[in-house]
Amino acid sequence: MPTGRIEHANLSVTQPQRSADLLERMLGWQIRWSGKSQSGGDTIHVGERGNGASYIALYTDDDVRAGRHVPLKKGQPLNHVGLLVDDLDAAESAVRGAGLEPFGHDDYAPGRRFYFRDWDGIEFEVVSYAGDAS
């Protein structure tokens, strides 16, 4: 049976650098590549440091920047993007420091979590299993 994992997600955002800055502060990630995308817009790949394979591609073009893209409705087609952190409190501080409002705090197996929506309405779940005995 094959094995696999998520390599990246590609999200349309109005200001990729602003989104990349948040992911760098919140997750300790780094910009791995930036430039013109094959479809003509601009993209920043921000992901794990070192040899980490996972990243998020942050895409924009004139339509996205002007708000002419269709904003997401919860669950159509995306519920949220899940991000795993080792320090939930520090991640929440980074989210608040970016002027965003965490919500939905909860603590149930297998970890603690909160949610937030970025400036473009994309919902993220931030979870930590640190200290979890499971």
Side-chain angles (χ1 to χ4, degrees), residues 36 49 52 55 69 101 105 107 109 134:
K36 291 289 180 191
R49 293 184 177 277
Y55 67 95
H69 68 296
E101 189 61 37
H105 295 79
D107 187 355
S134 341

Side-chain angles (χ1 to χ4, degrees), residues 3 68 96 102:
T3 60
R68 290 190 293 265
R96 288 185 185 281

Side-chain angles (χ1 to χ4, degrees), residues 10-11 70-81 121-123:
N10 189 318
L11 305 176
V70 179
L72 294 176
K73 269 182 72 177
K74 172 78 172 161
Q76 296 179 357
L78 176 71
N79 284 308
H80 60 256
V81 175
I122 300 168
E123 185 174 300

Side-chain angles (χ1 to χ4, degrees), residues 33-113:
W33 179 84
S34 64
K36 291 289 180 191
S37 74
Q38 65 188 60
S39 58
D42 299 300
T43 302
I44 296 175
H45 291 184
V46 60
E48 298 174 280
R49 293 184 177 277
N51 294 328
S54 299
Y55 67 95
I56 294 180
L58 302 165
Y59 172 81
T60 198
D61 62 17
D62 290 341
D63 287 335
V64 174
R65 280 188 286 269
R68 290 190 293 265
H69 68 296
V70 179
L72 294 176
K73 269 182 72 177
K74 172 78 172 161
Q76 296 179 357
L78 176 71
N79 284 308
H80 60 256
V81 175
L83 302 171
L84 177 65
V85 299
D86 61 354
D87 186 335
L88 194 67
D89 295 332
E92 183 170 355
S93 179
V95 169
R96 288 185 185 281
L100 300 169
E101 189 61 37
F103 65 92
H105 295 79
D106 217 333
D107 187 355
Y108 57 87
R112 293 175 46 226
R113 68 205 72 240

Side-chain angles (χ1 to χ4, degrees), residues 11 18 24 26 66 104 120 126 131:
L11 305 176
R18 174 178 65 182
E24 286 180 307
M26 185 173 60
D120 297 296
V126 185

